[in-house]
Amino acid sequence: AQSVTQPDIHITVSEGASLELRCNYSYGATPYLFWYVQSPGQGLQLLLKYFSGDTLVQGIKGFEAEFKRSQSSFNLRKPSVHWSDAAEYFCAVATLNQGGKLIFGQGTELSVKP
Amino acid sequence: KAGVTQTPRYLIKTRGQQVTLSCSPISGHRSVSWYQQTPGQGLQFLFEYFSETQRNKGNFPGRFSGRQFSNSRSEMNVSTLELGDSALYLCASTPDPGTYEQYFGPGTRLTVT
């Protein structure tokens, strides 16, 4: 069965430090992968997506993610974190044989220290 | 272009009642999906509608239902509410089912007492 694992429930980084959020997926075919961010009391905002092609994808707000098929991973990175990046981050895979419904990881909550 | 809108944003209901939530997709988007978000279960898919037809359904009891109108607006209904139905209900839209990136609304926070 398809699944997404985000191993880190909570991460704290200092403002200005680099960030990497981990995501591993289990999917039989070529995955369509996404990262979403959710601020408290808000919906999900799409940060970036990977469908095919270049394995390093750029997103909004200075985020990027790298798809590594050999490791079944799609980690999210940012070179310098801002206080406003504090939020919950979700990795998701689209299940193409089920109408494209999204399967989400459990999320990683990011705290930013001043 | 306006985003996905959901009404109401907050709702308090009593166990046993029923509730209807509404979602208006981004203009031009014809596919609407619903998700339930709870602290314990995370984000779980409820159902997807396209052209007024349910194309896909998640693993939820029959108390959860939905529909889509000809203008692509969607509603979901939960009957005989249980305490465990307290959650953030998120609606997402895509231009059509072949476009897999989904754009989410702000959600409706349902509290069942």
Side-chain angles (χ1 to χ4, degrees):
Chain A
Q2 302 95 338
S3 65
V4 176
T5 302
Q6 294 179 245
D8 304 305
I9 296 174
H10 188 207
I11 283 182
T12 300
V13 299
S14 297
E15 191 169 16
S18 64
L19 170 71
E20 182 169 28
L21 301 182
R22 296 182 292 164
C23 171
N24 293 97
Y25 67 89
S26 172
Y27 190 68
T30 300
Y32 283 18
L33 295 160
F34 306 86
W35 275 99
Y36 285 88
V37 61
Q38 185 178 36
S39 298
Q42 301 298 313
L44 302 174
Q45 182 181 23
L46 179 64
L47 284 176
L48 48 76
K49 60 184 184 285
Y50 171 78
F51 286 176
S52 65
D54 194 348
T55 56
L56 185 63
V57 293
Q58 302 296 321
I60 62 171
K61 304 185 179 188
F63 286 93
E64 66 178 27
E66 185 171 14
F67 171 64
K68 293 185 177 180
R69 184 186 301 275
S70 61
Q71 299 177 20
S72 297
S73 69
F74 187 57
N75 293 349
L76 182 71
R77 301 194 295 245
K78 186 170 186 178
S80 178
V81 169
H82 188 262
W83 65 265
S84 60
D85 293 324
E88 189 150 23
Y89 292 80
F90 293 93
C91 181
V93 63
T95 55
L96 308 187
N97 61 347
Q98 295 184 48
K101 77 176 188 182
L102 296 178
I103 293 178
F104 287 89
Q106 285 296 101
T108 298
E109 185 179 354
L110 173 66
S111 297
V112 180
K113 290 189 301 185
Chain B
K1 197 182 267 192
V4 177
T5 58
Q6 293 187 245
T7 56
R9 290 293 311 278
Y10 303 92
L11 205 49
I12 299 175
K13 289 287 189 179
T14 303
R15 195 169 47 182
Q17 289 185 315
Q18 75 165 17
V19 67
T20 299
L21 312 181
S22 180
C23 170
S24 293
I26 293 171
S27 178
H29 285 198
R30 300 183 297 159
S31 177
V32 172
S33 297
W34 289 87
Y35 293 83
Q36 181 196 64
Q37 185 178 24
T38 60
Q41 299 299 315
L43 282 150
Q44 294 186 288
F45 172 80
L46 279 158
F47 24 64
E48 180 203 2
Y49 287 88
F50 173 71
S51 291
E52 304 176 63
T53 301
Q54 186 181 91
R55 296 181 69 244
N56 203 357
K57 190 178 193 310
N59 189 24
F60 279 83
R63 300 185 295 107
F64 291 81
S65 63
R67 59 178 175 169
Q68 186 180 35
F69 302 95
S70 59
N71 62 357
S72 297
R73 191 177 69 84
S74 177
E75 289 180 346
M76 67 163 282
N77 185 77
V78 188
S79 62
T80 319
L81 284 166
E82 300 178 359
L83 296 178
D85 297 334
S86 294
L88 181 67
Y89 289 88
L90 293 162
C91 170
S93 73
T94 62
D96 57 64
T99 307
Y100 298 106
E101 56 197 86
Q102 298 184 17
Y103 296 89
F104 284 80
T108 294
R109 171 73 63 186
L110 171 64
T111 301
V112 182
T113 62

